[in-house]
Amino acid sequence: MDKQNSANQKQIHAGISKITDVLAGLEDFFHKTDVDISNDPDDPREGIGRLMGLDRLMCLIPCVLNRLEEDVSNGKEGENISSIIEGLQAIQAGLQSVLAYYQRDDVEVPLETLSNALSTIDHLSYKKPPSGIRIFRDIARIAPDFQIIHNMFEEFLENRRVRPEALKTDAAWSPESWLDYYREQARLEEPLVAVVEAEGLSEASLEKGMKQMLKESEQRDKANERFFANYTFMKNRDAAFNPDYPEKFLYLSEIPDITDEEDDGEHEVRVVDLHYEEEDEPEPWASSLPELDNWNKASQESLYDDPERHPPDFKDDPVYQLLNPFVHDLIKCLKNDYSRRVKESESKEYAMRSPLEHYLIILALKAQARIASSGVHTKSAGHDAPRKGVYLFVMECLEKIAKATHKFSQKHLFHLASEARNIKKQIEEIIE
């Protein structure tokens, strides 16, 4: 029996040692990265960002391990050795998933690893904790912080899914390359555009794209709800946790809800007079210092008075000036047509806009939005290829609007189809 207990304790200590090694690996990684950032004058970061909940985990896990060692030394592990090892492996896997994310800038594999670890923890939580052994209750207490990181991994993966690859803004990138980039952005951001691009313009593809768009919109709404729930959840944990006394967090029977104090409406309002009858005369010594005098003058000038610092104004773009009234006219025509249909409808119900109407509006607004962002890309790249690429993208959107209008016999929009092709010709002249 003593041999079995000794073997059990060795297994537990081996599991604890592995977790300690991963924690040390995380600490070493953060320290080295922070030093590298501080030594690089071109790196604007003050340090590497930490995942929410991670700092608390790195404080709590040593406490969990210390408590386990204390229980094991008192012989309290009993018949729970396999479950204890399972719990330690889950903690180790959770920490390794975080380290892998930082080291490799990868999300998919760490997310899968962390999902499996949380499944194990969830399985262990259904077991009735034996008296005298605290590891299961402690794992249940730290598990929510692993879940917070898991949620962040899911958000990172989704964000990467809907974004094109990183820009390669070198001189070799042609306007056509930028056009491909803008196309890919539109496909990733707009399911309706993606389906039509893949399957061709038809009633079936528009319907399918519309369903996909509504599905993703519903998913975003649910994600927003989860975000606010997670925010409240994290706020409660932050309020209950004191990093100076981390072990107290493990002793809590539950995490209390932190609610904002209700506004009783009883506030005293005071009038503050900011008017000065006369300004104080400057000290005579101040004007005798050229550096201080120059600094005072410069501090009174806006940074944006400097043309080099002023952000490019997309409203001055010639193509934007051509496109803007067209977009307004298109939306106005669709709005008027929709209002007419609602008035003529016997049910008097406000039906959703048709997939075609959504498609036309998306094309128009997407073209306008790309012009607004192209100035930043052009300034960053140091050449006109991003701007020329966006002009090509706008021309494509205008042609798609014209074709869709004629294909589905939208006679009330035929004049806008002609205008779209007229603007397209003017853009061709601007490019040339």
Side-chain angles (χ1 to χ4, degrees), residues 154-355:
E154 286 185 324
E155 291 175 10
F156 295 162
L157 190 62
E158 176 63 15
N159 287 338
R160 293 185 182 188
R161 184 188 69 81
V162 298
R163 280 174 172 76
E165 293 183 6
L167 295 177
K168 301 174 183 176
T169 55
D170 54 62
W173 241 34
S174 65
E176 288 72 23
S177 297
W178 279 97
L179 172 60
D180 289 339
Y181 172 75
Y182 295 130
R183 285 170 176 164
E184 182 66 8
Q185 272 192 317
R187 284 192 292 266
L188 291 172
E189 294 170 353
E190 303 295 343
L192 188 53
V193 171
V195 173
V196 171
E197 287 288 309
E199 302 182 7
L201 180 62
S202 65
E203 289 186 5
S205 65
L206 287 171
E207 288 283 352
K208 182 178 178 180
M210 184 73 171
K211 288 180 181 178
Q212 184 65 28
M213 183 182 77
L214 293 175
K215 180 181 178 181
E216 292 195 9
S217 177
E218 183 179 348
Q219 289 173 343
R220 284 194 297 271
D221 289 342
K222 290 180 179 179
N224 288 335
E225 291 176 4
R226 288 196 301 271
F227 171 80
F228 287 113
N230 287 338
Y231 172 77
T232 302
F233 179 69
M234 289 186 287
K235 184 175 68 172
N236 290 340
R237 289 180 71 80
D238 288 344
F241 178 71
N242 186 342
D244 294 329
Y245 305 98
E247 194 167 350
K248 288 186 176 181
F249 191 74
L250 300 174
Y251 281 109
L252 294 174
S253 58
E254 61 180 9
I255 306 298
D257 287 331
I258 305 300
T259 57
D260 297 329
E261 294 182 3
E262 295 185 3
D263 184 2
D264 57 11
E266 297 180 0
H267 298 288
E268 181 181 359
V269 178
R270 297 180 180 179
V271 177
V272 179
D273 185 4
L274 297 179
H275 175 71
Y276 297 94
E277 294 298 331
E278 58 183 25
E279 296 182 358
D280 295 333
E281 290 292 328
E283 294 290 339
W285 59 267
S287 58
S288 67
L289 297 175
E291 295 85 1
L292 184 58
D293 188 48
N294 291 336
W295 184 88
N296 286 331
K297 290 178 180 178
S299 66
Q300 296 173 3
E301 299 174 358
S302 169
L303 290 176
Y304 291 114
D305 290 341
D306 184 356
E308 293 296 323
R309 297 184 176 182
H310 199 290
D313 190 352
F314 62 88
K315 293 181 181 179
D316 294 334
D317 187 284
V319 173
Y320 181 87
Q321 291 177 348
L322 288 171
L323 187 64
N324 191 46
F326 170 80
V327 173
H328 282 280
D329 287 346
L330 173 64
I331 294 175
K332 182 179 179 181
C333 287
L334 292 176
K335 180 180 178 181
N336 292 339
D337 184 54
Y338 176 80
S339 299
R340 176 186 57 77
R341 292 201 312 271
V342 170
K343 289 180 181 178
E344 294 175 356
S345 174
E346 294 181 359
S347 63
K348 300 299 181 183
E349 292 182 359
Y350 288 87
M352 185 177 294
R353 293 187 186 277
S354 70

Side-chain angles (χ1 to χ4, degrees), residues 92-140:
Q92 179 187 345
L95 291 173
Q96 285 176 328
S97 72
V98 174
L99 184 57
Y101 162 74
Y102 278 109
Q103 289 178 331
R104 304 169 196 165
D105 190 26
D106 175 45
V107 179
E108 291 190 30
V109 174
L111 178 59
E112 183 180 358
T113 303
L114 188 52
S115 295
N116 293 335
L118 284 169
S119 296
T120 300
I121 291 172
D122 186 57
H123 169 70
L124 291 173
S125 67
Y126 285 104
K127 294 188 175 183
K128 185 178 179 180
S131 59
I133 192 80
R134 296 171 288 183
I135 181 68
F136 302 110
R137 188 178 64 185
D138 290 349
I139 289 177

